[in-house]
Amino acid sequence: LPICHGANERRPVTIKEFQRRALNIQGVYLPDVLDILKEIFNVSSVDVIIDGDKELDSRSIEILDRLNKKEPSAYIIGHIQFAGMTIKVNPNVLIPRMETEELVLNLCETIDFSNKKILDLCCGSGCIGLSIAKRFPSSTVILSDISKEAINVAEENKRINDINNATFVVSDFLESIKDKFDYIISNPPYIPEGTKTETSYEPDLALFSGIDGLDSYRKIINKLPFVLKEKGEAFFEIEDGREDDLLSIVDRQGIYKGIIKKDLANKARFMYLKKKIS
Ligand code: GLN
């Protein structure tokens, strides 16, 4: 009996059956399933209701397997929507989070990046820097990452989104950055080494940074005076609960004043640095 059952499970499934099986997997939610149906099978949420008995092709079984192995739907689909752009993602880059989108949208609304020089440090997919470059065509955006594989993804995202004012540098944090910038924006790795995460598919390089998770900020903040212009400012994504530790790193360095901002979920999520007035 189990063999029979197993053989049956390999047959392509109907839309309804796909949805039922996917939603049975722990950590898979309706929006993920609807995204997969739309982006991979071109099945809309209306089709799910009126055409639920239609059979999907053989990819349906392969996708259920991947979901079962906890692969994020964004990697299965291969792209996400971010601040109005399509951003390609694969396991070489972190899947951009809503909090990062909030950071970008806030910055684009409050700062005029026209004619400014901007660095997206630890750019991953390029979502931050490319969003700014796209909205401010007169800005000059440099995106850097230690991972050449990540830079390849970011370069493709530049092409996909028709952006002309962005260039790329492979750099271990600020090691290979020679210019001075008006704005530096970074969502660096900030999870303490050894922490268990929901999926093992995302790159460790993009997530973990030292035993307390703050090595990345120490490295960046200590070199900041060499890469920020006199009136330059830096913006970081941070982890809620780490704001006091971060502010003391800033304090010890001595040149900048740090301001913490909360996100829409009321968590301390962003840190802004500007030069103290002397
Ligand atoms: N916010 C991400 C997470 O919770 C971590 C991103 C990062 O380390 N910069 O998985």
Side-chain angles (χ1 to χ4, degrees), residues 94 97-104 106-107 128 185-188 190-191 217 235-244 246 259-272:
L94 192 78
R97 306 287 201 266
M98 262 165 52
E99 292 82 357
T100 310
E101 192 175 31
E102 187 186 334
L103 171 69
V104 165
N106 271 335
L107 290 176
I128 296 177
I185 303 158
S186 184
N187 174 20
Y190 56 63
I191 297 178
Y217 300 96
F235 301 87
F236 298 93
E237 185 175 314
I238 67 167
E239 179 84 311
D240 187 41
R242 310 312 306 275
E243 56 274 25
D244 291 342
L246 283 163
I259 298 160
I260 304 292
K261 290 254 188 298
K262 293 189 168 182
D263 65 15
L264 290 169
N266 209 34
K267 297 195 162 176
R269 180 64 66 194
F270 313 114
M271 181 171 72
Y272 299 170

Side-chain angles (χ1 to χ4, degrees), residues 203-271:
D204 285 353
L205 264 179
L207 291 168
F208 302 108
S209 191
I211 45 169
D212 68 349
L214 304 182
D215 277 5
S216 57
Y217 300 96
R218 285 187 202 94
K219 286 185 191 162
I220 298 169
I221 290 168
N222 287 331
K223 286 213 166 147
L224 219 43
F226 303 101
V227 288
L228 264 188
K229 291 184 185 171
E230 187 59 24
K231 291 203 161 156
E233 296 177 17
F235 301 87
F236 298 93
E237 185 175 314
I238 67 167
E239 179 84 311
D240 187 41
R242 310 312 306 275
E243 56 274 25
D244 291 342
D245 296 329
L246 283 163
L247 288 175
S248 45
I249 293 172
V250 175
D251 233 32
R252 229 168 301 141
Q253 195 256 9
I255 297 181
Y256 300 96
K257 174 178 148 60
I259 298 160
I260 304 292
K261 290 254 188 298
K262 293 189 168 182
D263 65 15
L264 290 169
N266 209 34
K267 297 195 162 176
R269 180 64 66 194
F270 313 114
M271 181 171 72

Side-chain angles (χ1 to χ4, degrees), residues 51-269:
D51 256 347
D53 292 326
K54 217 160 111 186
E55 203 164 85
L56 296 167
D57 63 51
S58 59
R59 290 172 303 170
S60 55
I61 288 299
E62 180 218 330
I63 289 169
L64 287 169
D65 284 344
R66 291 170 75 178
L67 288 171
N68 259 314
K69 290 181 184 136
K70 303 256 167 282
E71 183 168 349
S73 58
Y75 289 151
I76 295 174
I77 295 168
H79 58 262
I80 57 143
Q81 295 302 313
F82 183 92
M85 298 194 307
T86 296
I87 294 287
K88 177 195 149 126
V89 293
N90 66 28
N92 290 312
V93 299
L94 192 78
I95 299 161
R97 306 287 201 266
M98 262 165 52
E99 292 82 357
T100 310
E101 192 175 31
E102 187 186 334
L103 171 69
V104 165
L105 294 175
N106 271 335
L107 290 176
C108 287
E109 222 159 79
T110 51
I111 297 175
D112 182 7
F113 289 107
S114 308
N115 301 306
K116 297 287 195 257
K117 197 159 175 171
I118 298 128
L119 174 66
D120 175 359
L121 186 61
C122 311
C123 67
S125 65
C127 61
I128 296 177
L130 295 175
S131 297
I132 295 173
K134 178 92 187 167
R135 282 179 175 68
F136 296 90
S138 68
S139 66
T140 304
V141 180
I142 293 174
L143 299 96
S144 78
D145 202 285
I146 190 171
S147 157
K148 178 64 187 141
E149 290 74 28
I151 294 284
N152 289 343
V153 176
E155 277 179 325
E156 201 168 330
N157 282 323
K158 171 187 169 178
R159 260 196 308 280
I160 294 172
N161 289 289
D162 241 333
I163 292 165
N164 303 311
N165 50 328
T167 53
F168 302 88
V169 187
V170 176
S171 176
D172 182 3
F173 294 105
L174 290 165
E175 291 297 323
S176 312
I177 305 295
K178 299 283 174 272
D179 285 313
K180 288 210 174 206
F181 296 87
D182 297 291
Y183 297 100
I184 294 178
I185 303 158
S186 184
N187 174 20
Y190 56 63
I191 297 178
E193 222 77 66
T195 309
K196 243 186 121 32
T197 50
E198 268 170 49
T199 163
S200 54
Y201 281 82
E202 293 190 295
D204 285 353
L205 264 179
L207 291 168
F208 302 108
S209 191
I211 45 169
D212 68 349
L214 304 182
D215 277 5
S216 57
Y217 300 96
R218 285 187 202 94
K219 286 185 191 162
I220 298 169
I221 290 168
N222 287 331
K223 286 213 166 147
L224 219 43
F226 303 101
V227 288
L228 264 188
K229 291 184 185 171
E230 187 59 24
K231 291 203 161 156
E233 296 177 17
F235 301 87
F236 298 93
E237 185 175 314
I238 67 167
E239 179 84 311
D240 187 41
R242 310 312 306 275
E243 56 274 25
D244 291 342
D245 296 329
L246 283 163
L247 288 175
S248 45
I249 293 172
V250 175
D251 233 32
R252 229 168 301 141
Q253 195 256 9
I255 297 181
Y256 300 96
K257 174 178 148 60
I259 298 160
I260 304 292
K261 290 254 188 298
K262 293 189 168 182
D263 65 15
L264 290 169
N266 209 34
K267 297 195 162 176
R269 180 64 66 194

